[in-house]
Amino acid sequence: FLALHLSVAPDLPWLVIDDPVQSMDEVHIAQFAALLRTLSKSKTQRQIIVAVHEKPLFDYLALELSPAFQNDRLITIELSRSADGQPLMNYQPHVWQPDQAIAA
């Protein structure tokens, strides 16, 4: 599906992927994260929306896709429920910031 997405002119400026790693092992998940990073940094100007159902995978993809260049950004939205069943949403925009550890 990703090859098809890249081979035709986009009608919409985004790509939505729902739970793409159900049957992948750790090696293929890492390769998939690298592919997502490549797609997100390409000049196609497409937003990539990935829905995952596992917290460790959410955390891993958030780390792998975090902003690495100026004008990069990542928005993470975590949906869950409280102990009493109320829906919770954690929305967090991540923007690129220069590394403060490098001496000027």
Side-chain angles (χ1 to χ4, degrees):
F1 289 112
L2 289 175
L4 178 61
H5 174 75
L6 294 172
S7 66
V8 297
D11 289 334
L12 301 171
W14 58 81
L15 172 63
V16 179
I17 305 171
D18 181 29
D19 202 19
V21 297
Q22 276 184 339
S23 59
M24 291 185 196
D25 61 11
E26 288 81 12
V27 171
H28 288 98
I29 291 172
Q31 291 173 342
F32 179 72
L35 177 61
L36 287 179
R37 176 173 277 292
T38 300
L39 288 174
S40 70
K41 305 306 178 211
S42 69
K43 301 207 182 295
T44 59
Q45 299 297 316
R46 294 179 182 155
Q47 291 182 352
I48 300 174
I49 301 164
V50 181
V52 296
H53 304 275
E54 299 174 15
K55 177 70 168 135
L57 177 61
F58 174 85
D59 293 338
Y60 173 71
L61 289 177
L63 178 66
E64 286 294 316
L65 301 174
S66 63
F69 304 102
Q70 191 169 5
N71 298 325
D72 269 1
R73 66 183 191 156
L74 171 71
I75 298 172
T76 57
I77 302 172
E78 184 178 358
L79 303 174
S80 60
R81 293 199 181 271
S82 65
D84 61 355
Q86 295 298 312
L88 301 173
M89 180 186 75
N90 181 11
Y91 168 89
Q92 182 153 6
H94 306 269
V95 295
W96 178 82
Q97 296 180 354
D99 190 348
Q100 301 299 320
I102 298 175

